[in-house]
Amino acid sequence: MREGGGVAVARPGVVARLGGAVLAAAEAAGDFALLAFSALRAVARPRFPAREVLVQLEAVGVRSLPIVGVTALFTGMVLALQTAFALGRFGARPYVGSIVGLALVRELGPVLTALMVAGRVGAGIAAELGSMRVTEQVDAIRAMGADPVQKLVLPRVLATTAMLPLLTVGADVLGILGGLVVSDLQYGIAPGFYLQTILRTVEVGDFLSGVAKTVVFGWIIAMVGCSTGLRTTGGTVGVGRSTTRAVVVSSIAVLVADFFVTKLLLVL
Amino acid sequence: MPAEGKLEGAEALALSGVRKSFRGVEILRDLSLSVREGEVYTLLGSSGSGKSVTLKVAIGLIRPDAGEVRVFGRPVSRLSEHDLVEVRKLFGMVFQGAALFDSMTVFENVAYPLREHLDLPETELRDRVEACLAAVGLPGAGALMPAELSGGMRKRIGVARAIALEPRIVLYDEPTTGLDPGNSLRIGRLILELRDRLGVASAVVTHDLALCEQVSDRVGLLHRGRLAVEGDRGLLRHSEHPAVRAFLTGEEGGRDGGGVPGRAVAREAE
Ligand SMILES: Nc1ncnc2c1ncn2[C@@H]1O[C@H](COP(=O)(O)OP(=O)(O)OP(=O)(O)O)[C@@H](O)[C@H]1O
Ligand SMILES: [Mg+2]
């Protein structure tokens, strides 16, 4: 009897919570779309925030270099280890460069860079805009007759979208370099030969398709960060929540988008 | 001179029949009040009674569920965010928590509305910012970052930023909370000076009864989502209205269980 009652009480609770979660997700998606649209319109507004764009270019690009560089370097190194190990079974070890180069340029360079930037920049954006929101700085911008989308969102979206491809190029280069060092020291593959195999296998199209994807990733990371940040409620606790959510959502969105964009690029 | 000028001023800001609920709790229910040009209107009310919400409704940061806001006679509550820009240029607002931009220096904070709406040469910009900083007793503070300021200093920079554009209407949300008596007096004098020199319409939300006495042309008391009483600056001293007594003593007079949950404690800062 008592247990039955407990279940009867619990059930609508679960349903209601599920419904609530769906509604909240739909609302977030709607806000995201609206924000994306306003950001697009803000590009053409007078008083383009050029200075803030420069500041963000530096914050997003230059200061992400170390973390992206280290990631790429070690990814290239471990990739060379694994590939050489696998190719050794076919006696094709000298061609490590071909596989490492292709994998880095087409897939790992773009995606790992995007994930690192999602963790660093996406979280930073959500935390900063979230704090601004809960301390009424966003309201203050509006109260002074300025547009938070133009002042805050646009510079971050432009900077991240512009910088991620550049960071990816850097990551590609460093990753290949990491592979070169391991191939040379560990397996005695001459650097010249390693680079030659890469140049022979990897085409300009491979490189471009990898870099092109990151424009989409950069946009996703910044937009998710801004949207989550500006939706923050509930004080400092809310800022923490927003930050976590921004990283989780943008990382997953990057991986999902990667599949579809890659498929699209393969068709083209 | 100010004493006679103030009553003749045109209506600058008016709220009529404003309602606002948050998550089913009605904070403002049928609130009407108006502030004239060259008038200082002080809005009192216990903590959580909706004073800050009222100011945000006035400047369009919060849209009312019902009712209307008029700025110099023009209905603004249904304007788009974009059209509101023109209206907001007429306003200056001091936020309860100052809401300074953490990422900018004090100078850039105060210069913000000037840069946004005027194309001043850099030297003139500098002069105007410095004049605003001097007006709040912080000359030369421009190079500091907000994080380096004390609470009272932040508040005063918030005032400097609000008046930088020489707005026609200034909304002050507790401008003297956390200030020493001398600086509170200075802010009070500034409010009066803006009224007398520029005919500014001021809405002052405060718990500082000394400030209320110093600056008010009219005083209103927000109670249970409505304007319960309105009067001159002596309102609190003279009125026997139950809402006034409740505000001063913290004891709820009426019986109609209000929508403002469990917070009726009036704290007079300083
Ligand atoms: N954005 C919001 N979302 C939900 N509730 C809100 C929001 N803003 C205000 N409230 C609620 O409205 C009520 C009135 O808040 P308000 O900040 O106007 O009080 P106040 O009169 O300014 O109080 P105080 O003197 O303490 O500053 C509070 O109960 C608050 O919880
Ligand atoms: Mg308040």
Side-chain angles (χ1 to χ4, degrees):
Chain A
M1 180 72 196
R2 262 170 119 206
E3 255 177 33
V7 170
V9 170
R11 248 174 149 183
V14 170
V15 172
R17 244 190 294 161
L18 198 68
V22 170
L23 277 183
E27 199 189 311
D31 282 359
F32 182 89
L34 276 180
L35 189 66
F37 182 63
S38 328
L40 201 62
R41 280 200 317 188
V43 178
R45 286 263 171 78
R47 290 177 195 272
F48 181 82
R51 226 172 62 168
E52 185 60 16
V53 173
L54 285 181
V55 170
Q56 291 300 324
L57 281 174
E58 207 227 325
V60 172
V62 180
R63 287 196 233 140
S64 296
L65 268 176
I67 169 177
V68 166
V70 171
T71 310
L73 198 65
F74 277 89
T75 305
M77 284 161 64
V78 77
L79 204 58
L81 277 185
Q82 295 277 30
T83 313
F85 173 75
L87 287 180
R89 293 184 179 168
F90 311 103
R93 185 163 286 163
Y95 296 95
V96 163
S98 303
I99 309 259
V100 169
L102 261 188
L104 272 174
V105 164
R106 287 197 65 93
E107 189 58 38
L108 288 174
V111 169
L112 287 178
T113 306
L115 290 179
M116 298 317 285
V117 169
R120 189 185 165 274
V121 176
I125 292 175
E128 188 179 5
L129 298 202
S131 326
M132 290 187 72
R133 174 73 213 273
V134 300
T135 55
E136 299 187 316
Q137 294 177 50
V138 177
D139 278 342
I141 293 179
R142 292 169 65 208
M144 284 187 270
D147 176 12
V149 175
Q150 189 196 34
K151 299 289 168 197
L152 303 174
V153 178
L154 183 63
R156 284 166 176 78
V157 171
L158 285 181
T160 315
T161 313
M163 272 311 189
L164 198 56
L166 291 181
L167 286 169
T168 303
V169 173
D172 288 350
V173 171
L174 280 171
I176 287 172
L177 207 69
L180 180 144
V181 170
V182 168
S183 305
D184 184 16
L185 297 184
Q186 189 88 24
Y187 300 106
I189 300 166
F193 182 77
Y194 172 88
L195 288 176
Q196 242 175 37
T197 53
I198 291 181
L199 287 176
R200 240 183 279 140
T201 339
V202 181
E203 293 169 8
V204 177
D206 294 319
F207 174 75
L208 288 184
S209 85
V211 173
K213 293 199 280 196
T214 61
V215 175
V216 179
F217 300 163
W219 182 85
I220 289 176
I221 292 166
M223 279 300 305
V224 169
C226 289
S227 173
T228 342
L230 289 179
R231 285 170 52 81
T232 303
T233 52
T236 41
V237 182
V239 174
R241 225 172 9 228
S242 284
T243 309
T244 315
R245 181 172 303 151
V247 176
V248 171
V249 171
S250 60
S251 301
I252 291 174
V254 161
L255 294 174
V256 172
D258 182 38
F259 175 79
F260 289 104
V261 175
T262 306
K263 206 156 155 46
L264 188 78
L265 287 172
L266 285 174
V267 172
L268 291 178
Chain B
M1 153 113 185
E4 54 190 49
K6 73 197 177 204
L7 287 173
E8 288 158 14
E11 172 196 280
L13 172 69
L15 277 64
S16 60
V18 166
R19 292 174 181 279
K20 183 68 199 176
S21 307
F22 290 109
R23 283 186 230 95
V25 182
E26 201 163 41
I27 303 297
L28 302 180
R29 38 175 117 172
D30 195 21
L31 173 67
S32 302
L33 64 83
S34 73
V35 187
R36 288 188 287 264
E37 278 188 296
E39 180 187 44
V40 178
Y41 189 106
T42 301
L43 184 63
L44 301 171
S46 46
S47 184
S49 58
K51 303 180 300 295
S52 297
V53 170
T54 303
L55 293 186
K56 287 181 190 168
V57 166
I59 197 174
L61 292 175
I62 295 179
R63 276 181 204 280
D65 298 335
E68 196 174 75
V69 179
R70 286 188 310 277
V71 176
F72 292 107
R74 179 181 178 203
V76 298
S77 12
R78 269 164 291 278
L79 290 184
S80 71
E81 190 75 15
H82 185 253
D83 293 331
L84 274 173
V85 168
E86 288 308 311
V87 180
R88 287 177 180 152
K89 273 199 235 174
L90 304 170
F91 279 90
M93 177 156 184
V94 179
F95 284 82
Q96 188 166 357
L100 301 184
F101 302 129
D102 292 325
S103 61
M104 300 177 191
T105 61
V106 164
F107 179 90
E108 287 302 325
N109 265 280
V110 179
Y112 198 93
L114 299 173
R115 286 199 201 281
E116 184 63 25
H117 297 296
L118 306 175
D119 279 306
L120 294 178
E122 199 66 17
T123 48
E124 195 176 326
L125 186 85
R126 241 159 243 294
D127 291 345
R128 276 188 68 166
V129 170
E130 196 49 44
C132 292
L133 290 175
V136 296
L138 289 168
L144 297 173
M145 295 301 281
E148 299 170 307
L149 303 177
S150 72
M153 287 165 85
R154 295 173 65 91
K155 210 46 177 276
R156 287 188 281 159
I157 300 298
V159 174
R161 188 176 68 178
I163 63 171
L165 204 56
E166 304 206 330
R168 311 270 310 272
I169 306 171
V170 185
L171 312 176
Y172 300 89
D173 200 343
E174 306 197 6
T176 58
T177 304
L179 292 193
D180 56 276
N183 273 307
S184 294
L185 278 172
R186 185 202 303 273
I187 296 291
R189 281 198 300 269
L190 179 64
I191 294 173
L192 292 175
E193 192 205 321
L194 289 172
R195 177 193 71 181
D196 297 338
R197 191 163 58 84
L198 302 170
V200 167
S202 314
V204 181
V205 162
T206 190
H207 294 297
D208 178 350
L209 299 184
L211 179 75
C212 175
E213 289 269 345
Q214 183 190 359
V215 301
S216 310
D217 293 312
R218 270 194 303 157
V219 178
L221 177 63
L222 188 61
H223 185 67
R224 299 186 193 284
R226 290 191 187 85
L227 207 58
V229 215
E230 225 171 37
D232 62 12
R233 71 178 62 176
L235 178 76
L236 291 184
R237 273 180 283 121
H238 308 312
S239 175
E240 287 301 322
H241 193 285
V244 174
R245 311 276 33 117
F247 172 66
L248 289 174
T249 61
E251 285 155 21
E252 278 295 321
R255 267 157 294 133
D256 56 320
V260 184
R263 256 175 282 167
V265 189
R267 292 194 55 217
E268 288 84 50
E270 283 129 18

